[in-house]
Amino acid sequence: MSVAEWDNEYARLARAASQLRSGVGVGNDGDANLRAGLQRLETSLDRLPLQPTEIQRRRRLIQHLKETSSSQTATGGPGAGGPSQRQAQMQMAVQQQDAMIDELAVGMGRLKNQSQAIHEESNMHVNLLNDMDQNLDAAQQGLETETRRAVRLKEDQSVWRLQLTVAGLTGLFVMLV
């Protein structure tokens, strides 16, 4: 499992947990599937190429999601009354907000990685363009040098000198004959 796949799976499980907490799509298999998915994510963390601090942060995300989903099933779901129940619901809402913030943090981490990759690629393109500019300057200088050489060669071997030589030899021949 890649880091991006792990992030996508976590986001999917967080949405499923949120639906379970709100009572949407509540079922016996939903809670079991959520727990199994969280267990899969936790076991796959050790195989991801991440720094230990990032792995620990992701473990806390999984643990928080487990706790919020287990406390929801322990309280009997949303809608129960009583002051302690309302306090528990408020605490649950705060935990949900924390979970959403954690999800945003995961998304921001992906954005950071993508922006760093784009930055590296743009630096590579700048280097390539600089190389092309230098090669173009060298080619232009070579072309100018060859043009000057061709003009000199043309001047040195011009036709008028040849014609003047022929005329001189013809005049000499006429005088001799």
Side-chain angles (χ1 to χ4, degrees):
M1 177 180 286
S2 71
V3 174
E5 290 171 336
W6 192 97
D7 289 341
N8 290 337
E9 182 66 12
Y10 175 79
R12 187 187 68 75
L13 290 173
R15 284 191 302 275
S18 176
Q19 289 175 348
L20 283 172
R21 285 191 298 267
S22 66
V24 176
V26 175
N28 293 339
D29 61 340
D31 191 41
N33 288 341
L34 177 65
R35 291 189 184 288
L38 289 173
Q39 187 63 37
R40 256 191 335 270
L41 285 179
E42 194 165 15
T43 56
S44 68
L45 266 178
D46 295 328
R47 293 186 298 267
L48 292 177
L50 296 171
Q51 296 180 357
T53 54
E54 179 65 15
I55 290 175
Q56 187 62 31
R57 187 184 72 79
R58 289 173 186 244
R59 280 207 170 95
R60 283 194 307 270
L61 287 173
I62 292 171
Q63 186 61 34
H64 177 71
L65 207 52
K66 283 181 180 178
E67 289 171 1
T68 57
S69 64
S70 66
S71 66
Q72 181 65 34
T73 45
T75 59
S84 64
Q85 185 64 28
R86 277 186 242 138
Q87 185 179 6
Q89 286 176 345
M90 294 208 28
Q91 185 178 7
M92 184 66 67
V94 168
Q95 290 174 346
Q96 280 180 314
Q97 289 175 349
D98 287 344
M100 285 189 243
I101 289 172
D102 291 340
E103 289 175 35
L104 285 173
V106 168
M108 292 302 289
R110 280 187 283 181
L111 279 175
K112 176 187 169 193
N113 293 339
Q114 287 177 347
S115 65
Q116 286 174 341
I118 290 170
H119 175 72
E120 290 171 4
E121 187 174 345
S122 66
N123 282 341
M124 182 183 67
H125 286 281
V126 165
N127 292 336
L128 288 173
L129 287 172
N130 287 338
D131 290 345
M132 284 176 54
D133 190 37
Q134 290 172 355
N135 291 342
L136 184 62
D137 287 343
Q140 185 176 2
Q141 287 176 351
L143 192 59
E144 288 172 357
T145 303
E146 289 301 317
T147 302
R148 277 187 250 121
R149 189 170 148 214
V151 167
R152 268 186 270 137
L153 188 62
K154 180 181 173 187
E155 289 173 357
D156 290 343
Q157 297 178 354
S158 70
V159 176
W160 69 272
R161 283 188 179 174
L162 187 59
Q163 289 173 346
L164 186 60
T165 306
V166 168
L169 288 174
T170 305
L172 185 61
F173 180 70
V174 168
M175 288 189 342
L176 290 176
V177 176

